[in-house]
Amino acid sequence: ATLDLPNKGLMDALAHREIQEGFLTSGGPQHVSNLAWAYATLAFRPPALMAALATLQLPGNMIARFTSQETANTLWAFANLEIGGPGDPPGPLVAALTLHMVDVASVSNCQEISSTIWALATLGRRDATVLQALTARLREADVFRSCTAQGLSIIPWGLATLGVQDRATVLALARRAVQEEVLPTVGVQAVSNLLWALARLGIRDYEVSVRLITRLWDPNVLPSITNHAIVSIMWACAHLGIRHEKLVTLLSEVILRDGLVQSFDSREVANCAWAEAVFGSLQDDLLAGLLQRVRALEDWSDVQQQSQLHQLFIHIRLHQEELPKSMTAMDALGDFPARCQATFHAAAQDSTQSMLQQEVMATIRELGLEGQQEVLLTDAGGYTADVLLADWNTVVEVDGPSHFVQDREQWMPTGATLLKHRQLQRLGYEVITVPFYEWMALEDSASRREYMADLIDDTVAGL
């Protein structure tokens, strides 16, 4: 495996001998670790050996002898071999070694930490005690500064994948990755992992994001980009509300030049389509290509993907003069856009009123105004208005924390929030935005009435 010399016949024979002789339970920690690592590295999965590893139960005194490297390598191998993945029981060895990592975390290096977190994320195993021990070790200065670009990107990806809201650690790793001595070693996959992790956790550090993006200008970096990396970068920037013109143009050119759309799966198509809508893209060839790929793919049962495509359809209709090829491609989809709109409508009707929204509505009524809550705007693509002031054709959007990402000390609207507001305006509605952080700063009913009256007066005065 170290020499990368695959020999299926030999590996099958060795697997048979392992099981026949019972070496898995008698060979010791290094033997188990090396064996699992070798088969994972060479991507060989003999069924009998995989079954034996999945049910392997070692005595406690042997588990205690696993070093941090052996523990990390074994967990990494099990994740690569898809033993004990999401939805499956973890198996006795994965469960035991996960707990054992707490004992060896204090002597683990960055590579072992990153391998373990990657494995846990890949296997869908979120263990708070283990993760706390690993991130505590990571914060030690000598370990932190020893991290390579790969570790600096895999750890944030793993934490974000597991839904661990350790924003301080993820942001610290991202800022380390863009320092002068590290940034030249950051590859395209690391850029993708870091941007995706930042977006997933709602962290918008514009300076860090742009420095990561600029790595793609390096002609030695871009050729290795994959479909997944392209779409992850586009989705992350769109979600964070970062529209970098050069990046959007570059990635669009790569997709078109290399014909990558034809190999996009449904998730990649939907995420790319939604990102292009957020960016306000007028790349007619690209958008038409995405819609042609929509037609070629069969499974569009995912509600979120249908909703993402619906927002692209709205975008195309709003810019039909600039996007004639896209309009033609959309017409060729038959009733599919209508089905996406119906899905979007249904999802919108499932929304509920927040306490913040009820407070805003109460204040509007105190001003003597009539407003309707949770109104389905059938003439505006099926968007739902938090509050509709019908007399002025005005929508009041009460935006809670989920509508924002944090950029240092500032709250910035997400791409989804920006897209909704922009499309509502293009569809003929005035939009008043009530950010949660402004509303929470108001001390009493009188200040709330004054705040809302000023917002409404500023909007109505222009009508």
Side-chain angles (χ1 to χ4, degrees), residues 287-346:
L287 299 185
L290 286 168
L291 297 188
Q292 289 163 7
R293 184 60 178 162
V294 168
R295 189 179 183 188
L297 294 169
E298 296 181 357
D299 183 11
W300 287 106
S301 58
D302 186 272
V303 170
Q304 182 180 2
Q305 291 173 11
Q306 287 192 42
S307 296
Q308 288 175 309
L309 290 173
H310 174 62
Q311 290 180 297
L312 176 66
F313 296 147
I314 294 175
H315 171 72
I316 291 171
R317 291 190 187 100
L318 289 171
H319 297 277
Q320 53 188 289
E321 292 184 2
E322 301 104 315
L323 300 171
K325 295 178 184 177
S326 301
M327 280 297 297
T328 300
M330 188 166 68
D331 291 340
L333 294 174
D335 68 347
F336 181 68
R339 286 191 282 126
C340 288
Q341 180 166 326
T343 299
F344 190 79
H345 283 189

Side-chain angles (χ1 to χ4, degrees), residues 36 39-40 43-45 50-51 53-54 74-91 94 118-119 122-125:
Y39 278 88
F44 282 138
R45 296 177 174 83
M50 296 301 100
L53 287 171
T74 306
L75 290 172
W76 175 89
F78 271 54
N80 265 281
L81 293 168
E82 300 175 352
I83 299 174
D88 298 329
V94 169
W118 179 88
T122 302
L123 294 170
R125 308 296 172 195

Side-chain angles (χ1 to χ4, degrees), residues 115-380:
S115 293
T116 302
I117 290 178
W118 179 88
L120 294 176
T122 302
L123 294 170
R125 308 296 172 195
R126 177 174 172 173
D127 188 304
T129 303
V130 175
L131 293 169
Q132 288 171 5
L134 291 172
T135 53
R137 172 63 172 166
L138 181 65
R139 285 191 289 271
E140 296 180 23
D142 58 332
V143 178
F144 184 83
R145 294 195 65 82
S146 71
C147 286
T148 64
Q150 184 180 31
L152 292 169
S153 69
I154 287 176
I155 295 169
W157 175 88
L159 294 174
T161 298
L162 291 168
V164 178
Q165 295 293 320
D166 191 346
R167 296 162 59 89
T169 296
V170 169
L171 185 55
L173 291 166
R175 287 175 174 169
R176 172 63 178 160
V178 299
Q179 290 180 354
E180 289 184 4
E181 65 269 28
V182 181
L183 187 59
T185 66
V186 174
V188 67
Q189 189 58 53
V191 171
S192 172
N193 287 343
L194 281 165
L195 287 173
W196 181 87
L198 291 171
R200 184 73 180 267
L201 295 177
I203 304 170
R204 186 189 190 274
D205 189 310
Y206 185 80
E207 181 181 347
V208 167
S209 299
V210 170
R211 295 202 72 188
L212 287 170
I213 287 168
T214 58
R215 283 294 294 144
L216 301 182
W217 310 162
D218 186 334
N220 297 317
V221 170
L222 195 59
S224 62
I225 199 165
T226 63
N227 289 2
H228 180 74
I230 287 175
V231 175
S232 291
I233 291 169
M234 293 181 72
W235 175 85
C237 289
H239 178 71
L240 293 171
I242 296 174
R243 190 187 193 287
H244 193 288
E245 189 67 41
K246 186 175 179 179
L247 173 70
V248 174
T249 301
L250 176 65
L251 294 183
S252 298
E253 289 175 351
V254 170
I255 293 171
L256 288 171
R257 184 192 67 213
D258 298 341
L260 299 181
V261 170
Q262 301 310 313
S263 58
F264 277 7
D265 60 25
S266 58
R267 177 179 294 183
E268 290 165 344
V269 170
N271 282 341
C272 185
W274 179 80
E276 291 291 331
V278 173
F279 295 145
S281 171
L282 297 179
Q283 295 272 352
D284 199 16
D285 287 335
L286 175 56
L287 299 185
L290 286 168
L291 297 188
Q292 289 163 7
R293 184 60 178 162
V294 168
R295 189 179 183 188
L297 294 169
E298 296 181 357
D299 183 11
W300 287 106
S301 58
D302 186 272
V303 170
Q304 182 180 2
Q305 291 173 11
Q306 287 192 42
S307 296
Q308 288 175 309
L309 290 173
H310 174 62
Q311 290 180 297
L312 176 66
F313 296 147
I314 294 175
H315 171 72
I316 291 171
R317 291 190 187 100
L318 289 171
H319 297 277
Q320 53 188 289
E321 292 184 2
E322 301 104 315
L323 300 171
K325 295 178 184 177
S326 301
M327 280 297 297
T328 300
M330 188 166 68
D331 291 340
L333 294 174
D335 68 347
F336 181 68
R339 286 191 282 126
C340 288
Q341 180 166 326
T343 299
F344 190 79
H345 283 189
Q349 289 176 324
D350 288 339
S351 60
T352 57
Q353 300 175 15
S354 66
M355 182 65 69
L356 179 64
Q357 184 177 324
Q358 292 176 30
E359 290 179 359
V360 171
M361 185 68 239
T363 301
I364 290 174
R365 287 176 177 151
E366 289 175 11
L367 293 173
L369 302 176
E370 290 297 325
Q372 299 169 275
Q373 294 188 79
E374 295 298 322
V375 179
L376 184 64
L377 304 174
T378 56
D379 60 344

Side-chain angles (χ1 to χ4, degrees), residues 106-123:
S106 61
V107 294
S108 297
N109 60 36
C110 185
Q111 182 175 348
E112 292 158 1
I113 292 170
S114 66
S115 293
T116 302
I117 290 178
W118 179 88
L120 294 176
T122 302
L123 294 170

